[in-house]
Amino acid sequence: MIQSSRVTITSNIQGVLDRATRRSRDVRTALTRTLAVGEWDKLLRAEAKRTLWALAKQSEWGFVDAFVATVLTGPFMTGFFARMSNPLPPVLVVEEFAMAQDLQKRALSQGTGPTLFSDFLNQFDQMMTDWVANEKDKDRRDYDKSDEEIGSWIGYLMLTPDSKLNAKRSGKVNPVTGKPVLSELEAKHSLMKHIVDYIQRRQTEKRLGKDQINAWLLAVLAAWSVLVRREFPGRFRAQLNVVRTEL
Amino acid sequence: MTPLINNAVSANALETSVMKLWQEFLARYFDGGKHDVGATPLVQFPLAELLFQQSAAGQPLAASGGLAITLVSSEVTRRKWVAWENYSSGLTSGLTSAATRQEICYEAVAWNFWVRANGTNGRALCKSGSDGLFGLLSNKGETHALGQKGICRLKVHAPRVIQETDYVLRLVSLGATLRYPILSQRYVDECGAGDLDPGAGDGGQSGLGAGS
């Protein structure tokens, strides 16, 4: 005869929760390992190189390594970032030189100052510094000045309208030549032909066009995007398997 | 679909054999003519210069306003796996009919097709080139010829516009599986394929990955 009956209902929810927690931890660990920047860095550099080698003409192969050398990777939040930039300094052409002079003239007449085109002026100053460093016949007057100071002074002379420059000589004598020191205006006209010649020569050197530089940067970005999408799932699965087999 | 003439993918010349097959396959279509690719009417393909990896000699991009398609292997981890399969190699020396078991390697690979053009008509040319390429690689009937030679399971992604200025550039990316026999891993049985045991016999070494 049955005296009593009893039903016991238990739940394994705690076990389920524990397992879910473990899985979640595994996923985080595997993700962190998958996105470690070290291996991706090698992969992305190699992909960039392959892509650029393929897009470059033979005469442009010399630029490829310079581009790849600018690849920069590093950790970013829970993942990583990668970037590649244009390693080539901008080159001013003769038309831009004339434009810089025109801008300077307008700024002086309107009193707006050089801030609107300061980047442009910086490029010009940089080019003057390059000319001083590479081509100027320096004498003892130049020894206590840096190339940047001389370049900046010549840049000022080149861009300032003639009417704003001092046309009178100081009366000092050049210690090297023994001749009177030129006025600002005379110095400008004396240097002008060398500067224009320098700009023209730089312009005709083998350079990459802006379109082409853009195309290269965008192409590498696209190749990286395809590569990461293709590689990530397999690498993540592999890391997850490793994590799950670890004690 | 016309079968390809070049040799199938081979472990002895993996990259060369693959590139030759691609060259033959693509050159059939990108010749400036109309082709029957299962569509009515016939599909017009542009004339394109085909380039592979760093084959820069005379890379033409198109000083003449032409179209160039450059195939570049992607730097992915090349996942491999192997399997023993019945191999229809036909006759072997001294035997009229031999059933052969061969260890086959499968290898996942990826390629990027860079489609470039410039000139006044560059944008339209690049668009028709990349569209034609995407359509062709998506066409199972046409790519069957590649599959017969060991380039199979093609998975193509739609063309991506990279740049549309005077220098027009598009990307068509493709994942695929290469299938080729592992040299030395072959088992021949004169009795018939049904009795074959890949783990037995002189040539039947069953170790996975050997020779791969």
Side-chain angles (χ1 to χ4, degrees):
Chain A
M1 188 177 191
I2 298 172
Q3 297 294 323
S4 64
S5 63
R6 181 175 139 180
V7 175
T8 306
I9 300 174
T10 59
S11 160
N12 69 340
I13 189 66
Q14 193 52 51
V16 172
L17 289 175
D18 287 349
R19 195 157 51 188
T21 309
R22 233 174 15 247
R23 284 280 156 85
S24 165
R25 199 175 54 230
D26 289 352
V27 166
R28 272 201 304 275
T29 309
L31 260 179
T32 309
R33 291 183 189 177
T34 307
L35 294 175
V37 72
E39 283 189 35
W40 288 103
D41 180 90
K42 276 186 274 178
L43 212 57
L44 295 175
R45 279 177 198 276
E47 187 75 354
K49 199 161 194 171
R50 274 171 187 264
T51 303
L52 294 183
W53 276 117
L55 294 181
K57 293 177 215 154
Q58 200 160 7
S59 58
E60 296 161 352
W61 280 2
F63 294 113
V64 171
D65 284 342
F67 269 83
V68 175
T70 67
V71 172
L72 185 66
T73 58
F76 177 70
M77 297 176 76
T78 53
F80 66 89
F81 76 90
R83 61 172 288 187
M84 190 177 88
S85 46
N86 171 19
L88 307 175
V91 176
L92 262 69
V93 298
V94 173
E95 293 75 20
E96 288 173 321
F97 177 36
M99 193 165 75
Q101 286 179 313
D102 188 47
L103 283 169
Q104 176 79 316
K105 192 174 173 181
R106 207 179 310 163
L108 286 170
S109 65
Q110 294 172 355
T112 52
T115 50
L116 286 176
F117 52 99
S118 54
D119 280 352
F120 198 57
L121 282 184
N122 288 340
Q123 284 180 27
F124 190 78
D125 272 1
Q126 182 58 50
M127 192 174 63
M128 290 302 99
T129 304
D130 291 345
W131 178 77
V132 171
N134 297 320
E135 305 210 350
K136 186 177 187 312
D137 288 331
K138 292 180 193 162
D139 56 39
R140 75 175 77 154
R141 293 173 302 164
D142 298 323
Y143 293 158
D144 60 342
K145 300 186 187 79
S146 66
D147 290 347
E148 286 77 12
E149 286 173 317
I150 303 169
S152 181
W153 170 246
I154 295 175
Y156 161 77
L157 289 180
M158 292 298 119
L159 296 183
T160 306
D162 290 358
S163 58
K164 302 278 182 187
L165 292 175
N166 193 348
K168 287 183 183 172
R169 293 184 177 178
S170 62
K172 291 179 184 170
V173 176
N174 183 331
V176 180
T177 60
K179 294 177 182 173
V181 173
L182 299 178
S183 69
E184 285 183 347
L185 192 59
E186 288 171 326
K188 177 181 177 177
H189 291 296
S190 164
L191 287 168
M192 182 65 85
K193 55 180 180 293
H194 300 292
I195 300 299
V196 170
D197 175 60
Y198 182 61
I199 293 174
Q200 283 173 336
R201 273 187 286 120
R202 279 174 56 124
Q203 201 174 331
T204 53
E205 281 172 11
K206 182 64 195 164
R207 312 291 299 184
L208 290 179
K210 284 179 188 170
D211 262 4
Q212 197 164 0
I213 291 170
N214 283 342
W216 281 19
L217 295 175
L218 291 170
V220 169
L221 191 63
W224 281 353
S225 156
V226 171
L227 175 75
V228 171
R229 280 163 194 242
R230 195 172 275 147
E231 275 291 285
F232 179 79
R235 285 172 175 256
F236 178 61
R237 265 197 300 273
Q239 285 296 346
L240 207 51
N241 286 337
V242 171
V243 170
R244 283 177 181 168
T245 54
E246 284 174 358
L247 287 175
Chain B
M1 180 211 73
T2 316
L4 297 171
I5 298 164
N6 272 301
N7 290 332
V9 178
S10 156
N12 265 347
L14 198 52
E15 186 170 357
T16 312
S17 57
V18 169
M19 294 301 162
K20 279 184 178 172
L21 288 166
W22 275 117
Q23 163 75 36
E24 185 185 353
F25 178 73
L26 293 174
R28 280 183 183 177
Y29 298 92
F30 288 92
D31 57 1
K34 291 184 175 179
H35 294 274
D36 178 7
V37 288
T40 309
L42 301 182
V43 175
Q44 172 83 45
F45 283 83
L47 174 66
E49 172 138 9
L50 302 171
L51 301 161
F52 296 88
Q53 308 285 39
Q54 299 156 18
S55 56
Q59 260 200 25
L61 174 57
S64 54
L67 178 74
I69 299 176
T70 307
L71 186 154
V72 185
S73 301
S74 182
E75 193 69 19
V76 291
T77 309
R78 291 170 73 128
R79 200 162 51 88
K80 287 184 186 179
W81 63 100
V82 292
W84 281 92
E85 294 179 6
N86 289 330
Y87 193 66
S88 56
S89 60
L91 304 179
T92 55
S93 58
L95 301 171
T96 51
S97 172
T100 307
R101 293 277 286 176
Q102 169 71 55
E103 193 174 25
I104 302 289
C105 181
Y106 290 88
E107 188 170 347
V109 292
W111 292 294
N112 290 331
F113 293 84
W114 296 99
V115 184
R116 294 175 286 166
N118 66 4
T120 50
N121 199 26
R123 198 176 299 183
L125 200 57
C126 192
K127 187 170 182 298
S128 80
S130 58
D131 282 350
L133 184 63
F134 174 70
L136 182 63
L137 297 177
S138 312
N139 188 325
K140 300 291 179 202
E142 298 305 306
T143 56
H144 187 60
L146 286 169
Q148 287 177 327
K149 295 288 185 175
I151 302 174
C152 42
R153 299 178 191 170
L154 303 188
K155 197 173 166 188
V156 63
H157 295 272
R160 293 178 64 173
V161 178
I162 306 300
Q163 179 161 283
E164 286 215 320
T165 55
D166 288 343
Y167 182 102
V168 192
L169 181 63
R170 288 177 178 234
L171 168 65
V172 178
S173 57
L174 176 76
T177 302
L178 297 182
R179 177 184 185 278
Y180 54 89
I182 296 173
L183 306 174
S184 85
Q185 295 295 77
R186 191 169 67 168
Y187 176 75
V188 181
D189 187 344
E190 296 172 41
C191 303
D195 300 322
L196 292 177
D197 174 8
D202 292 336
Q205 303 155 35
S206 61
L208 289 184
S212 64

